[in-house]
Amino acid sequence: MPKILAVDDEPDALELLKVNLRTAGYDVTTAADGDEALKKARAIVPDLIILDVMLPEVDGLEVCKILRRDKQVSAIPIIMLTAKAAEIDRVLGLELGADDYVTKPYSPRELVLRVKRLLRPEPATTKGDEISWKELRLDIPRHQATVKGKTIDLTATEFKLLTVLVQRRGRVQSRDQLLQDVWEYDSVIDTRTVDTHMRRLREKLGLAAKYLDTVRGVGYRFVEG
């Protein structure tokens, strides 16, 4: 049973989260502030973290930042909960390493769908599921990317985004298409989600970032040159 750490300082909101996630079949641990969230994340190493931005002690953005710097828990998918009007929090959360966000007030069904997407097992792979392009190598079964033999620390969403682009190298992928294929959104939402993840990918890939091309007004492609 997948383990989820749900973090919110509002008791009613936290209880609603716990009930809906347990009904969906998840083992849920809760935390009410940033310090408690960090301690429990390191203690239980959950499969996913749902993290409210507005927290006492240490806020959700800082918690996200700290978790992404800690190798023990850096790969855990994070869904941020943000106030509907707080666009800056959504952008900052993505820049700091969050995989997704849900705005308050939210539909419990939508949140559970987002959780399922991030926790869905990858389809069966074969030993041939490795992609190499010059200094970049993707080991799909292991979710591992290397540049010149050095492992690049990518989140699950970053790895999926890079894999989609490499598999379709040379072809332009619109932001809307990437939102559907990587995040599995059925409708168009804030496309900054894609832009922010691409910016993080480029920062992490270093020399290999030159293969990620921006097609102004359209989207992105992995160039073969």
Side-chain angles (χ1 to χ4, degrees):
M1 182 182 295
K3 297 180 293 184
I4 294 178
L5 174 60
V7 188
D8 199 315
D9 66 324
E10 299 178 17
D12 291 345
L14 194 57
E15 183 63 24
L16 182 64
L17 261 177
K18 183 169 67 174
V19 169
N20 281 283
L21 290 169
R22 285 182 174 171
T23 299
Y26 298 108
D27 179 7
V28 184
T29 299
T30 61
D33 60 56
D35 281 335
E36 186 181 9
L38 289 168
K39 290 175 183 176
K40 289 189 174 179
R42 290 165 176 149
I44 68 173
V45 189
D47 297 291
L48 181 140
I49 298 172
I50 298 174
L51 182 61
D52 188 30
V53 169
M54 300 298 292
L55 294 173
E57 307 300 332
V58 183
D59 69 30
L61 294 174
E62 186 64 19
V63 170
C64 182
K65 182 178 179 181
I66 293 170
L67 290 173
R68 286 297 181 237
R69 290 178 173 176
D70 185 335
K71 288 194 174 182
Q72 180 190 5
V73 291
S74 62
I76 298 173
I78 296 174
I79 297 177
M80 301 291 293
L81 299 179
T82 70
K84 189 170 184 179
E87 180 181 346
I88 187 64
D89 287 343
R90 299 199 294 275
V91 174
L92 281 173
L94 292 170
E95 288 180 344
L96 291 172
D99 293 274
D100 203 351
Y101 67 83
V102 175
T103 56
K104 290 182 172 182
Y106 59 85
S107 157
R109 180 176 178 275
E110 178 191 3
L111 180 59
V112 169
L113 287 174
R114 300 281 184 94
V115 169
K116 286 181 177 179
R117 179 190 67 79
L118 284 171
L119 292 180
R120 181 179 300 139
E122 292 295 319
T125 55
T126 67
K127 63 181 181 181
D129 283 326
E130 294 183 359
I131 304 172
S132 294
W133 186 258
K134 299 184 180 180
E135 64 264 41
L136 176 65
R137 178 175 172 272
L138 298 180
D139 185 333
I140 296 176
R142 294 181 179 178
H143 274 224
Q144 186 177 72
T146 58
V147 175
K148 288 192 171 182
K150 181 181 178 181
T151 299
I152 307 300
D153 187 19
L154 300 179
T155 66
T157 302
E158 290 166 352
F159 185 85
K160 187 173 182 179
L161 175 60
L162 180 59
T163 300
V164 167
L165 290 167
V166 174
Q167 288 175 332
R168 301 172 187 176
R169 55 188 176 273
R171 291 179 282 164
V172 178
Q173 304 299 305
S174 70
R175 291 173 174 81
D176 292 344
Q177 188 64 52
L178 290 170
L179 281 170
Q180 291 177 29
D181 295 342
V182 178
W183 284 265
E184 299 181 18
Y185 292 149
D186 294 327
S187 58
V188 177
I189 62 159
D190 186 355
T191 55
R192 288 186 216 185
T193 299
V194 178
D195 296 337
T196 304
H197 276 79
M198 287 297 298
R199 184 162 57 250
R200 280 170 32 206
L201 256 183
R202 285 182 168 130
E203 290 172 355
K204 291 183 177 183
L205 289 176
L207 290 173
K210 63 188 175 185
Y211 301 121
L212 300 179
D213 185 35
T214 300
V215 181
R216 191 172 299 277
V218 182
Y220 299 94
R221 69 181 164 191
F222 189 92
V223 296
E224 300 181 279

